[in-house]
Amino acid sequence: MESTDFTMIKPLNNKRTFEGVSDRLKELIFDGTFKPGQSLPSEHALAQSFQVGRQSIREALRVLEISGFITVRPGTGGGSVIEGTMLSKMAGMFLDTFKLHKVSLMDCMAARKIIEVSILDLVLENFDESDIEKLRENIRCARAHLSSGESTFEDNIEFHRILARSSKNDTFCIVIEALLAVYAEVRSKMTVTSKIINKKVLRIIDNHERLVEAIEARQNQVAIELLRDDLSFSEELVLSSAK
Amino acid sequence: MESTDFTMIKPLNNKRTFEGVSDRLKELIFDGTFKPGQSLPSEHALAQSFQVGRQSIREALRVLEISGFITVRPGTGGGSVIEGTMLSKMAGMFLDTFKLHKVSLMDCMAARKIIEVSILDLVLENFDESDIEKLRENIRCARAHLSSGESTFEDNIEFHRILARSSKNDTFCIVIEALLAVYAEVRSKMTVTSKIINKKVLRIIDNHERLVEAIEARQNQVAIELLRDDLSFSEELVLSSAK
DNA sequence: TCACATTTGTCCGTATGTATC
DNA sequence: AGATACATACGGACAAATGTG
């Protein structure tokens, strides 16, 4: 300790070093200094800029990585690339929360039913032709996969994603993404004989198609009933397999 | 490299070391090997157990920490304590997602209105006396804070949290927690003159009280209208201040 | 194909801050 | 107050991955 008074150049923040770094980097991403697609400086460069050790930088990057702000790749030209969306990480964390809190599947499916039906109201108010086209494309895709013997699981998930987007409300998109993650996790663990599932899958796709028609024709009540059917069917499927 | 064949003691996983560690620790928390309130072994002990360096352990712990699985405290007897809930971290990440995706406040408040009204249906089916008592206690608390000049902001947030819990559906609790985080963030940035806000706050509390009465009396339609009023009022408040 | 530079991934040794006893 | 145990942080070193000439 020399006599010169080092009146707190850093200790004024009670945060840990890596927290200060990750918070600062978050700010810079939020305010657009670093844009999606761009890369953050290398760990070494960041350590020099922030005047901290590389370990602190790494822990800060770890925070940003699992929060979904960046993806990190090794090697030349690699580094920390700023992501444009946090949706998948967000949904993943939602899933972890469900597991830790041991939320019942029944609760989750019930909530999903209620929320999706609510969303449908918004969809019926706000949809446009391109939404209908995306939904139809999804159905075509699902039929193609079905006939070639591939799984239509992802298509069915995507259908509900597109439906949520058609509401033109981003909040619902995020919420549905999270709920779908739970659904996807459960379904992915289901072992089903393809014979039985084939008939069921066809029913789901046909149901989706009728739903799209009802939406386009603005037959609100019909659409709501069809969506309820669809979700009840998924509910049954999941709850029965989960014993 | 000796001639003895090291047939993959580790490299069989393509994951990074800290990922393997954090995933394994997650499993151990999920399956109840480590229970909430308990502490993980110290970093040094973990490093020895996993046969990896401390830095890898640190990054793994960082992942678990910001995911909400553990909280870390320095000092003797400190360490990594397993948390019982990830709700606040979850809500925080939801907030980050909102910011990064630049979701409009209007969307968020609209979604909240729709979802909370949906929840009210469940509340009216499932509430019991203890829920009513908790809501009343919250209102008493809010009035006390109001008369002593303190902020009733947290009370108002808590009211909606309790309402969500009364639905007995954990999924909605999580979703509402996330939406409330967005609301809280916006409100916390609002600078309001206490004179004006006092009248508004009183109106909110009175409204909450009438809502509780309507729920208890099972006047479903009245309750729904009162909740809509309450949320519309919040919506106005937030949207006007946000320009 | 073969270096070579860059960047992340990992480990070690050491020192410091902090909370508990 | 002192000792202890722990997280926090730094710097150096080397390995592994990846793109470039």
Side-chain angles (χ1 to χ4, degrees), chain A residues 207-230:
Chain A
N207 206 345
H208 282 181
E209 185 148 45
R210 284 203 296 277
L211 175 55
V212 174
E213 283 165 14
I215 292 173
E216 195 175 24
R218 293 176 197 276
Q219 300 171 323
N220 295 18
Q221 205 51 47
V222 176
I224 288 174
E225 286 309 315
L226 283 168
L227 181 57
R228 280 225 179 85
D229 276 1
D230 186 47

Side-chain angles (χ1 to χ4, degrees), chain A residues 135-153 155-156 198 201-202 205-206 209:
Chain A
L135 289 168
R136 287 202 199 285
E137 171 61 25
N138 170 268
I139 290 168
R140 275 194 295 274
C141 210
R143 288 201 195 285
H145 286 155
L146 184 62
S147 65
S148 67
E150 295 170 81
S151 168
T152 64
F153 175 58
D155 298 312
N156 289 336
N198 247 6
V201 162
L202 188 59
I205 298 175
D206 287 342
E209 185 148 45

Side-chain angles (χ1 to χ4, degrees), chain A residues 10 16-23 25 43 46-47 50-64, chain B residues 55 58-59 62:
Chain A
K10 250 197 217 169
R16 291 170 289 184
T17 306
F18 76 86
E19 282 180 309
V21 173
S22 64
D23 285 350
L25 289 176
E43 294 180 358
L46 285 173
F50 282 102
Q51 281 296 295
V52 298
R54 207 181 133 211
Q55 169 141 355
S56 297
I57 296 293
R58 280 188 64 77
E59 290 183 33
L61 292 180
R62 214 52 61 218
V63 171
L64 296 181
Chain B
Q55 171 128 5
R58 282 187 64 76
E59 289 183 32
R62 209 55 60 222

